[in-house]
Amino acid sequence: MSEKQYDSVLVGYAEEPRYNDDGQVGMWSVRFKDNELREIIEKYATTRNEQGQGGNVYVTLFMSKSGKACCRVFDPNSAAAKEKRAAKAAASASVDDVPF
């Protein structure tokens, strides 16, 4: 059985979510120290293209299976992310330019 590869890295636990009057999650917050934020930008920012697009860091807040609020960041250099980009490039290269 192959091991599942992830395209994100757990960067820590977020603060507990705040709920609205209906009992639904209203908002979450996450806090980074300046050195942690600098490291996240250096390691996980996407590359910029010729037009200056890119340089993004994608952070996701989620609830773990044990009910803890967590934070993860997308790693564009991970093996899973590289595989997804290669598959997407292969799929777009295989599409024929059909006029209809």
Side-chain angles (χ1 to χ4, degrees), residues 1-86:
M1 189 168 156
S2 66
E3 184 178 322
K4 182 166 176 58
Q5 293 184 339
Y6 296 97
D7 63 357
S8 298
V9 177
L10 181 67
V11 290
Y13 291 100
E15 294 180 10
E16 288 299 315
R18 296 185 190 121
Y19 296 91
N20 60 22
D21 296 336
D22 298 333
Q24 298 175 341
V25 173
M27 65 182 211
W28 271 330
S29 61
V30 62
R31 177 180 47 191
F32 297 109
K33 301 227 181 263
D34 58 348
N35 61 327
E36 294 171 334
L37 191 56
R38 207 172 293 116
E39 180 182 351
I40 288 170
I41 292 170
E42 289 171 2
K43 286 184 176 181
Y44 306 118
T46 58
T47 56
R48 291 189 181 269
N49 63 13
E50 310 80 53
Q51 293 86 23
Q53 297 169 329
N56 300 311
V57 176
Y58 296 95
V59 176
T60 305
L61 299 174
F62 67 100
M63 295 298 281
S64 70
K65 290 179 182 174
S66 64
K68 288 278 204 184
C70 298
C71 178
R72 68 178 170 226
V73 63
F74 172 71
D75 182 1
N77 303 311
S78 69
K82 289 177 182 177
E83 286 177 14
K84 286 180 185 178
R85 276 195 303 274

